Amino acid sequence: MEAQATTTPTFELKDIISHAKEYGFVFPSSELYDGLQAVYDYGQNGVQLKNNLKQLWWKAMTQAQQSIVGIDASIFMHPLTWKASGHVDAFNDPMIDNKDSKKRYRADQLLETKAEAYAEAGTPEKGTALLHEMARLLDANDLAGVRDLILAEDIRCPISGTKNWTDVRQFNLMFSTQVGSVAEDADVIYLRPETAQGIFVNYLNVQKTGRMKIPFGIAQIGKAFRNEIVARQFTFRMREFEQMEMQFFVRPGTEGEWYDHWKEQRMRFHQAIGIAPGHLRYHDHEKLAHYAKAAVDVEYKFPFGFKEIEGIHSRTDFDLKSHQELSGKKIQYFDNELNQNYIPYVIETSVGADRLFLATFCEALKTVVTGEGEQARERTILDLHPALAPVKAAILPLTKKDGLPEKGEAIYKALRTEFECYFEEKDSIGKRYTRQDLIGTPFCIAVDHQSLEDDTVTVRHRNSGQQERLPIAALADTIGKQVSLTSILRNL
Ligand code: ATP
């Protein structure tokens, strides 16, 4: 049914942002007061799409896995957690200001953009050499060297066009606040910059109470906060966002094969939700984080270029070992088969719910041409997988009289306990179809006079615009199968 449509790409980021706002997906935070930079709210349709993505991830990473369980840790954690994890000392971005435009930039991003320019100009080897040099300087914390490199590469402020740069400074991305009622007694604590540490500090609790045997994993979805220096590109880089992370604990020496396993699994996930394989790619890290042995990003082709949506990291025993050292509590696993104690190694998969949302949304918004010759018509649709769509079926009586609304409402009441439905009787049927296309509703159910006679309805398919006649009694089952998350999980 869905095949006849041809697609013409593509939308720019500004089109994505305005569509997301106009159709109730994403609003700027506290917009009444002109918004708050890099913070966004999800609207009535956005929250459904985001929840569906989170639920799918949760099911794929826990229910569908033999040896992964989930937890829900707090945002506030003991401050020593962040000392052990390295975030207090090393969770910095190098920033630089242009004195003429007063604009602030991430020094590493200026150099990365230059490297991309080399690649586009047909001299990728120059870009690679530049990235190597940047990694070397950052590793050595040689910030003056980073500034010299920016000058040597003739990098100018895109706004002022000058090279009037300040020194490069390190900026810690963690937000802090206080716990305690009296200011003098209050302890500084941080809003977690990642969910992973909530998993590490609960490793022993879960392993013991769940009688978990290595290899096993712990998954979590939750908010994280980063005081990003440059916040732009909509929900791609926010100061408050959600992460979906899984730490997989393995026997030391087996981390290579598990790294490959999760690298492949996570790519399958992104393809299964409907992202075209050509819009996804791996990107191996040049500069490894302080904890990592190997790291790869899964990147999506956003309207502003290929950018990270998920990271897969081989973290060794870095985190558990530091927590053991700083807490003074033994964090070890006794491996029956080896008759040996060790600190497990960790493979992490870490995807941002908001970036996944944005990728899914960018991928889905398209113009399709249906019909041929004089019948050909261009329509904009949100081509979401039916299981991810905010509304699964819209029930639309053809007219507002002759008992059609009552018939439609009865169908709506019966179906809405099965999946998310919408009922509307206002406006022409064409206008109502269009509105549903724009929010991604896969099925529109039109109730007409024939429905009163033989209890059948017309089901219109979003992508092809084609219609079929179905008995009302078959709707719950026929549509239900196609809009269930299980239909995606089976393909993983
Ligand atoms: P970037 O290099 O883009 O800053 P990162 O490498 O710091 O990202 P990780 O620390 O690996 O990101 O975090 C894992 C995932 O969390 C990222 O792949 C991304 O999807 C999400 N994420 C990280 N920072 C943000 C942010 N500021 N806004 C939205 N999502 C984010």
Side-chain angles (χ1 to χ4, degrees), residues 38 87 91 93 106 108-109 112 173 193-194 224-226 228 234-245 285 291 297-298 307-313 315 348-356:
H87 283 81
F91 194 52
D93 277 340
R106 259 174 67 177
D108 55 334
Q109 286 178 349
E112 277 164 12
L173 301 182
E194 63 172 28
F225 304 83
R226 295 182 188 179
E228 298 281 0
F234 198 34
T235 58
F236 179 81
R237 191 172 299 285
M238 300 202 281
R239 298 207 164 107
E240 173 183 341
F241 58 100
E242 253 180 310
Q243 285 188 315
M244 309 194 280
E245 296 197 297
H285 278 212
Y291 51 76
D297 294 338
V298 176
K307 298 277 177 209
E308 167 178 351
I309 50 173
E310 171 151 13
I312 294 120
H313 310 126
R315 290 177 82 123
E348 165 183 84
T349 71
S350 174
V351 56
D354 311 274
R355 277 193 199 174
L356 187 60

Side-chain angles (χ1 to χ4, degrees), residues 4 9 21 54 72 97 112 125 128 131 150 157 170 172-173 206 230 251 277 287 305 327 329 334 350 379 382-383 432:
Q4 281 77 5
K21 183 168 175 218
K54 289 198 292 184
D72 182 19
D97 293 5
E112 277 164 12
E125 64 293 342
T128 312
L131 292 178
I150 288 174
C157 168
Q170 289 288 15
N172 193 292
L173 301 182
V206 174
V230 188
R251 185 186 283 171
K287 172 179 174 280
S327 68
K329 314 238 166 63
F334 180 70
S350 174
R379 293 182 295 131
L382 198 60
D383 181 16
R432 283 179 279 166

Side-chain angles (χ1 to χ4, degrees), residues 401-461:
K401 47 185 201 296
D402 303 336
L404 297 187
E406 290 75 11
K407 185 77 178 170
E409 228 174 318
I411 299 172
Y412 168 63
K413 281 188 180 148
L415 289 183
R416 72 183 179 190
T417 51
E418 305 293 316
F419 39 76
E420 199 65 38
C421 290
Y422 180 77
F423 177 78
E424 194 177 42
E425 49 184 20
K426 262 205 343 255
D427 287 340
S428 75
I429 192 87
K431 276 193 187 146
R432 283 179 279 166
Y433 282 156
T434 300
R435 279 200 293 270
Q436 295 306 314
D437 285 346
L438 293 169
I439 65 164
T441 306
F443 303 104
C444 282
I445 299 171
V447 182
D448 53 22
H449 289 91
Q450 192 185 329
S451 311
L452 301 176
E453 286 160 24
D454 64 2
D455 273 327
T456 64
V457 284
T458 306
V459 176
R460 172 188 174 273
H461 295 253

